[in-house]
Amino acid sequence: MTLVNDYVHGYSAVEGTRLGDQAATLTELLHADTRFPPGSRVLEAGCGVGAQTVILAGNSPQADITSVDISDDSLAAARQRGDEAGLGNVEFRRANIFDLPFPDDHFDHIFVCFVLEHLSNPTEALAALARVLRPGGSITVIEGDHGSTYFHPDSEPACRAVQCLVDLQRQAGGDALIGRRLYPLLVRAGYRDVHVSPRMVYVDASRPALVDGFTRKTFTAMVEGVGEQAVGQEMMNEADWAAGIRDLYRTAEDDGTFCYTFFKAVGRG
C-alpha cells in the first residue's frame, strides 16, 4: 500500500489556524462554483482539519459528504470544526487515498483540495480515486502553484524564502508547483472533459480583507512556518531568512501588492 508523504507544514495548532484563515479568505474565489445536487454522494479526499469541509458542506447542504484523511489528529480537529459549524451531512472517516474502503463506482462526485501537492505519485492517487467514482461522475481538484508568486516591493531574500518552501516540499516528495500540472495529471489518470481555470489572487491596500487574510495569514504565515527547517538545513542563514520574512510582510503595507494563482480542475470519470 502506498502511503501519503509527510506534510511539510506540520500538524500544529498554528497550522490548523492558518488553514482555517486560508479557507475563509478564499471561499468565494475557490468554492463559489462548487455545488453538488441533493442526495448525491460526495467524497472529500484528504479533508485535513476540515477547513474546506465546512465550506463544501455549507454550499451543498443536501448532499451526503464523506470526508477522509490519513491523520487521526487532523480528523479529530475536523470533527470538532464540523460540530461547531453544525454540519449534519458529513461523515468523517480515517482512510488512505491509495486504499479507499469503498466499493467501485460508489460516489457521484469527488473533491480534492491542496492534497496532490504533498504526494510523490499524484497520478496514482487520481487513478485510485477514479475507481470509486461512478462513470460520468465529476472530480474537482484545487491546487496552488508557488511559482506564480510575485509581489512589490520585490525582494531577493523573500524570493529565496519562498524557494526554500518549494525545495522542502520537494524533499518531502511533494510538488509546490503542481497547479500548472493539473490538466496533464488528470488526463493521464483517465479522466475525460478536463477543464482547468486559473484563480488569481491579487492584493493591494484597497482590499484589506485579502491583505490580512491572504498576504499575512495565509501565504506569509505558510512560508514563515518552515523557517526552522530552512535554517536548520542551511538553505538560508538566520539573518537572511528573517529579512525574507520581513520583506514578505512588507508587501502587506499600504504601498505593497501581492499576487498568487490557484488552479481549479474539473473532469469526468
Side-chain angles (χ1 to χ4, degrees):
M1 181 173 64
T2 308
L3 297 177
V4 179
N5 298 336
D6 290 338
Y7 181 58
V8 69
H9 305 296
Y11 294 94
S12 68
V14 172
E15 173 62 7
T17 299
R18 187 192 70 81
L19 291 171
D21 290 336
Q22 173 179 257
T25 300
L26 300 173
T27 295
E28 183 67 22
L29 180 73
L30 299 183
H31 299 287
D33 54 351
T34 299
R35 283 174 167 75
F36 301 112
S40 59
R41 288 190 289 197
V42 181
L43 172 66
E44 181 191 15
C47 67
V49 298
Q52 310 295 332
T53 312
V54 173
I55 299 166
L56 195 68
N59 281 353
S60 304
Q62 296 183 63
D64 297 319
I65 300 173
T66 302
S67 296
V68 304
D69 201 89
I70 198 169
S71 166
D72 290 324
D73 289 343
S74 293
L75 284 170
R79 290 189 180 99
Q80 180 178 345
R81 194 182 295 266
D83 290 343
E84 291 172 353
L87 300 184
N89 60 331
V90 181
E91 177 189 9
F92 292 100
R93 294 183 59 174
R94 188 182 190 281
N96 188 320
I97 288 175
F98 297 94
D99 190 29
L100 292 165
F102 306 110
D104 294 357
D105 308 334
H106 184 69
F107 293 99
D108 301 299
H109 307 282
I110 293 176
F111 180 82
V112 190
C113 187
F114 306 146
V115 173
L116 299 183
E117 64 174 305
H118 301 292
L119 307 180
S120 57
N121 41 4
T123 304
E124 291 178 29
L126 289 168
L129 291 168
R131 179 187 67 79
V132 301
L133 180 64
R134 68 166 174 80
S138 76
I139 184 168
T140 300
V141 182
I142 301 173
E143 294 288 349
D145 190 318
H146 295 354
S148 69
T149 307
Y150 57 96
F151 40 79
H152 171 80
D154 200 3
S155 160
E156 182 181 353
C159 291
R160 288 173 58 199
V162 174
Q163 186 61 44
C164 286
L165 175 54
V166 174
D167 293 342
L168 286 166
Q169 198 155 326
R170 185 179 298 115
Q171 285 182 15
D175 181 6
L177 311 178
I178 200 168
R180 68 190 71 179
R181 298 171 55 204
L182 288 188
Y183 181 86
L185 284 171
L186 283 161
V187 170
R188 193 176 304 129
Y191 294 92
R192 300 177 292 109
D193 303 327
V194 177
H195 174 73
V196 177
S197 57
R199 310 289 173 100
M200 189 182 80
V201 184
Y202 168 74
V203 188
D204 61 29
S206 70
R207 306 177 183 195
L210 286 174
V211 170
D212 189 53
F214 188 76
T215 304
R216 292 194 185 104
K217 293 181 177 178
T218 295
F219 191 86
T220 302
M222 174 178 63
V223 177
E224 188 175 20
V226 300
E228 185 175 344
Q229 298 175 66
V231 174
Q233 293 190 32
E234 299 182 346
M235 292 178 169
M236 292 179 71
N237 63 47
E238 192 168 352
D240 287 345
W241 177 263
I245 298 303
R246 182 192 65 232
D247 289 350
L248 284 174
Y249 280 115
R250 169 70 179 82
T251 69
E253 295 182 13
D254 286 348
D255 62 343
T257 64
F258 195 95
C259 290
Y260 185 91
T261 302
F262 294 92
F263 294 84
K264 183 172 187 175
V266 178
R268 296 283 173 186

